[in-house]
């Protein structure tokens, strides 16, 4: 073998090795691409779950905020209802409808208007059928005017908040 033959043979061997390396590189790239796709899918799944968790968290905290506000309104209203009752007792005790009566009536009306803005209204119980959800029966009495099971007298007014019972009316029920 001559030097030229040896050089040609070496050159051919080098090309074979280069071709094998290129084939290895292509296979590695295919594996890397598949691996990258899996990582990408995994990250996308994690991202979507995180986004859903955050959305659920926001919804939950908004619901809690509204519950706390509603609870606060109920607490304040329950504290103010005896004040309204006392205003009504004061109005009932005044015989002369003078300026004192008018002043107390104005304050009572202003207070009930403030409560009405938050959905708190007086319950209409007189003459209605007794319902333990809305009424608290403290007395029973025979009545010629009403059938059995109807409210014949309201002893303490009841109040509703957004059509739910805030304070049941204390009533006298016909037998």
């Amino acid at each position: 073998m001559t030097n030229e033959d040896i050089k040609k043979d070496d050159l051919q061997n080098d090309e074979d090795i280069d071709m094998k390396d290129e084939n290895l590189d292509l296979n590695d790239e295919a594996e890397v691409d598949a691996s990258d796709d899996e990582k990408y899918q995994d990250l996308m799944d994690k991202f979507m779950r995180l986004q859903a968790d955050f959305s659920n968290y926001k919804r939950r905290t908004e619901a809690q905020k509204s519950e706390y506000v509603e609870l606060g309104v109920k607490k304040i209203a329950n504290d103010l209802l005896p004040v309204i009752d006392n205003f009504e007792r004061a109005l009932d005790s005044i015989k002369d409808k003078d300026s004192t009566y008018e002043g107390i009536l104005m304050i009572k009306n202003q207070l009930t208007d403030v409560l009405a803005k938050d959905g708190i209204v007086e319950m209409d119980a007189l003459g209605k059928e007794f319902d333990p959800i809305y009424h608290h029966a403290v007395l029973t009495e025979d009545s010629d005017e009403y059938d059995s099971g109807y409210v014949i007298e309201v002893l303490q007014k009841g109040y509703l908040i957004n059509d739910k019972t805030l304070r049941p009316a204390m009533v006298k029920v016909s037998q």
Side-chain angles (χ1 to χ4, degrees):
M1 245 187 173
T2 63
N3 277 343
E4 265 185 45
D5 289 338
I6 292 174
K7 285 182 184 178
K8 283 182 186 177
D9 201 28
D10 283 342
L11 189 58
Q12 224 174 16
N13 285 340
D14 285 343
E15 285 177 8
D16 287 343
I17 289 173
D18 286 343
M19 290 299 281
K20 287 179 185 176
D21 285 344
E22 284 179 22
N23 286 340
L24 286 176
D25 288 342
L26 290 175
N27 288 338
D28 287 344
E29 285 180 26
E31 287 176 20
V32 168
D33 287 342
S35 160
D36 285 345
D37 284 344
E38 288 175 14
K39 286 180 185 177
Y40 175 77
Q41 269 316 106
D42 187 43
L43 287 174
M44 280 302 290
D45 289 344
K46 287 180 182 178
F47 173 72
M48 296 299 277
R49 288 179 189 190
L50 184 62
Q51 196 172 24
D53 286 344
F54 182 70
S55 176
N56 290 337
Y57 169 76
K58 269 179 60 174
R59 186 176 29 82
R60 212 172 30 250
T61 56
E62 288 298 320
Q64 285 175 339
K65 281 182 195 177
S66 72
E67 286 175 13
Y68 290 144
V69 168
E70 186 178 325
L71 182 65
V73 167
K74 284 181 179 180
K75 180 161 178 19
I76 297 285
N78 278 323
D79 291 344
L80 288 175
L81 293 180
V83 175
I84 292 174
D85 293 339
N86 288 332
F87 274 118
E88 289 175 355
R89 285 186 198 101
L91 290 170
D92 290 342
S93 70
I94 297 175
K95 302 291 183 221
D96 298 326
K97 307 290 187 219
D98 59 357
S99 62
T100 304
Y101 179 86
E102 294 298 322
I104 292 172
L105 182 61
M106 284 175 42
I107 294 169
K108 182 225 168 228
N109 289 339
Q110 186 178 17
L111 191 55
T112 55
D113 289 344
V114 168
L115 293 176
K117 287 179 185 176
D118 285 319
I120 300 165
V121 293
E122 185 180 307
M123 186 184 301
D124 183 28
L126 187 61
K128 304 289 183 191
E129 188 173 359
F130 176 77
D131 185 349
I133 293 173
Y134 299 112
H135 309 123
H136 177 74
V138 291
L139 295 169
T140 59
E141 188 176 280
D142 291 331
S143 173
D144 297 332
E145 190 178 338
Y146 294 100
D147 292 337
S148 179
Y150 282 84
V151 175
I152 58 174
E153 186 179 347
V154 177
L155 304 172
Q156 184 182 42
K157 291 181 179 178
Y159 288 87
L160 301 171
I161 182 168
N162 301 324
D163 297 326
K164 295 178 186 172
T165 303
L166 178 63
R167 180 178 83 177
M170 290 176 54
V171 296
K172 185 189 296 185
V173 180
S174 63
Q175 286 187 8

